[in-house]
């Protein structure tokens, strides 16, 4: 039985952990299959305040975790299968940890990389298909690779991958990019990045040794063509990790948790959400961290008035 359980260890969850731990709430933090969240799959973070020279994503997350531990946050690894929110304390079924209970929950499970849903894609993950340039770029030294997407992630991954690849072909389904101007400019100034716009991915082409290319439809001519490459990196956005909650909390049409404006409160009192799992707009490390702070303060305030357990005996 815990006062508060935080699910997820990205910047939102870890910031919530730092604040709750410093408030002597002894939070339990459940770390899932992607400890540290999306920032651990990124390279240099240049826009997190306080690091004038930038900081590597994994280092930033490791520092946040250490900071939370220093104040007494407990960490356990596990996959949360389900949460019973029908009565307090809330009950969590956690793979590897059994049943856990908490008076309040902070959900900071973030969002996971989306796939295109085309033939041969999933089968070739690890054989040339990837959603993580930082993790897999190294394997494509001197090779030609494709990055799919027209947002900031695609631009960032394309630029990063030119460190290894001989050529990076950016494939996007429209002529116009969604990416910010600065990110687009960086990719356009990179002579190793070439552009294959107005192309809809149809199928990953692969042989016994793995990926050999991507079949696309040229949306101008309607013709199908194959772009040869040894790797296909998919950078088309993310899906919020809210499935384990069933339909208990209010979500929007794409599954993002809805919070009361200006707060971290979800549709159930005592359950708070922060970070990318509830943010369809900003999705930055610093906004996630800020919302983690809000969730911790909201949670603390809530427990002041609603604790059902006599904590004076246990703490
Ligand atoms: P995003 O902005 O949602 O862009 C996703 C891209 O993938 C879009 O261009 C979209 O095409 C394309 N796409 C989506 N589904 C597709 C499909 N089924 N087939 C083909 N293409 C598909 O996602 P993101 O780039 O991951 O960025 C998410 C947020 O993180 C943004 O707010 C971004 O600014 C931020 N971010 C910031 C940085 C940075 O500042 N360093 C780095 C990465 C991300 P359409 O345009 O046609 O819809």
């Amino acid at each position: 039985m815990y006062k508060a359980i935080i699910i997820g260890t990205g910047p939102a969850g870890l910031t919530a952990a730092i604040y709750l731990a410093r408030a002597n709430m002894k939070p339990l933090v459940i770390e899932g299959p992607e400890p540290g969240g999306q920032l651990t799959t990124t390279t240099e973070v240049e826009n997190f305040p306080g690091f004038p020279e930038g900081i590597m994503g994994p280092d930033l997350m490791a520092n946040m975790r250490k900071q939370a531990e220093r104040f007494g946050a407990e960490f356990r690894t596990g996959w949360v299968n389900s949460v019973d929110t029908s009565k307090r304390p809330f009950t969590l079924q956690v793979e590897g940890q059994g049943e856990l209970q908490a008076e309040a929950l902070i959900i900071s499970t973030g969002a996971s990389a989306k796939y295109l849903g085309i033939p041969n894609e999933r089968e070739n993950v690890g054989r040339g298909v990837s959603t993580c340039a930082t993790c897999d770029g190294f394997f494509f030294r001197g090779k030609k690779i494709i990055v799919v997407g027209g947002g900031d992630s695609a631009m960032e991954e394309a630029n990063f991958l030119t460190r290894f690849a001989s050529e990076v072909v950016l494939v996007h389904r429209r002529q116009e990019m969604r990416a910010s101007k600065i990110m687009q400019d960086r990719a356009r100034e990179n002579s190793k990045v070439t552009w294959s716009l107005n192309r809809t991915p149809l199928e990953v082409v692969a042989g016994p040794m793995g990926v050999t290319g991507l079949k696309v439809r040229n949306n101008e001519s309607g013709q199908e063509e194959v772009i040869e490459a040894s790797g296909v990196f998919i950078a088309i956005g993310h899906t919020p990790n809210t499935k384990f909650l069933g339909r208990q909390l209010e979500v929007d049409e794409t599954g993002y948790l809805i919070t009361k404006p200006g707060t971290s409160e979800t549709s159930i009192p005592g359950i708070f959400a922060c970070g990318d799992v509830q943010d369809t707009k900003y999705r930055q490390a610093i906004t996630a961290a800020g919302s983690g702070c809000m969730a911790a303060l909201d949670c603390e305030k809530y427990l002041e008035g609603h604790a059902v357990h006599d904590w004076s005996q246990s703490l």
Side-chain angles (χ1 to χ4, degrees):
M1 172 77 164
Y2 290 85
K3 266 192 172 179
I5 291 181
I6 299 165
I7 311 174
T9 54
L14 291 178
T15 303
I18 292 166
Y19 271 77
L20 284 186
R22 276 194 88 237
N24 205 24
M25 309 270 289
K26 299 197 174 1
L28 172 68
V29 188
I30 300 182
E31 225 166 13
E34 223 179 86
Q38 286 178 52
L39 276 191
T40 56
T41 65
T42 195
T43 46
E44 198 160 0
V45 181
E46 293 177 329
N47 52 11
F48 200 90
F51 300 94
E53 309 302 329
I55 182 168
M56 297 304 281
D59 294 343
L60 180 61
M61 299 323 297
N63 286 346
M64 285 191 196
R65 192 185 194 279
K66 260 189 245 161
Q67 199 173 345
E69 275 180 316
R70 179 179 149 217
F71 295 114
E74 180 187 337
F75 285 80
R76 292 201 202 184
T77 303
W79 178 261
V80 180
N81 281 322
S82 64
V83 179
D84 180 359
T85 63
S86 61
K87 56 180 187 305
R88 287 184 53 231
F90 304 116
T91 304
L92 282 67
Q93 302 296 337
V94 186
E95 210 160 291
Q97 303 290 344
E99 194 171 281
L100 300 170
Q101 289 194 315
E103 296 226 22
L105 292 179
I106 293 183
I107 298 169
S108 48
T109 42
S112 295
K114 272 191 202 163
Y115 284 87
L116 293 160
I118 56 175
N120 279 337
E121 183 185 34
R122 293 288 184 144
E123 301 88 309
N124 285 293
V125 170
R127 301 179 74 245
V129 172
S130 172
T131 56
C132 176
T134 328
C135 322
D136 301 326
F138 182 79
F139 302 117
F140 296 88
R141 202 169 279 277
K143 307 246 169 77
K144 179 178 167 186
I145 50 190
I146 289 169
V147 171
V148 181
D152 281 339
S153 297
M155 304 302 129
E156 191 171 73
E157 302 237 320
N159 264 328
F160 173 72
L161 288 166
T162 59
R163 291 187 193 186
F164 311 99
S166 56
E167 180 185 350
V168 175
V169 186
L170 214 138
V171 174
H172 178 42
R173 62 184 175 185
R174 294 186 297 135
Q175 195 67 38
E176 303 74 34
M177 298 288 164
R178 190 179 288 267
S180 57
K181 188 175 178 311
I182 183 170
M183 302 291 280
Q184 278 190 56
D185 288 348
R186 276 188 199 169
R188 289 199 186 279
E189 283 159 17
N190 190 328
S191 59
K192 279 188 172 180
V193 177
T194 59
W195 304 80
S196 206
L197 303 180
N198 239 334
R199 307 288 199 283
T200 300
L202 297 176
E203 183 182 339
V204 172
V205 184
M209 303 300 286
V211 169
T212 58
L214 180 70
K215 189 193 274 186
V216 296
R217 184 180 52 247
N218 180 330
N219 295 326
E220 275 163 46
S221 65
Q223 300 282 312
E224 291 184 4
E225 50 195 64
V226 173
I227 305 170
E228 284 180 12
S230 308
V232 176
F233 283 78
I234 296 153
I236 59 164
H238 293 82
T239 309
N241 295 317
T242 48
K243 220 171 173 181
F244 69 100
L245 294 164
R247 291 168 178 265
Q248 300 174 91
L249 293 172
E250 207 182 325
V251 291
D252 71 7
E253 67 283 353
T254 47
Y256 283 86
L257 287 175
I258 294 175
T259 49
K260 200 164 124 198
T263 77
S264 63
E265 293 167 20
T266 67
S267 52
I268 296 184
I271 303 185
F272 306 89
C274 51
D276 283 12
V277 75
Q278 52 84 58
D279 179 6
T280 54
K281 187 172 176 190
Y282 300 104
R283 300 189 277 202
Q284 300 299 301
I286 188 66
T287 50
S291 72
C293 164
M294 288 166 63
L297 297 181
D298 288 344
C299 176
E300 213 182 313
K301 188 133 202 242
Y302 171 82
L303 285 176
E304 273 170 22
H306 296 87
V308 287
H309 182 78
D310 181 6
W311 291 98
S312 60
Q313 307 301 312
S314 12
L315 291 179

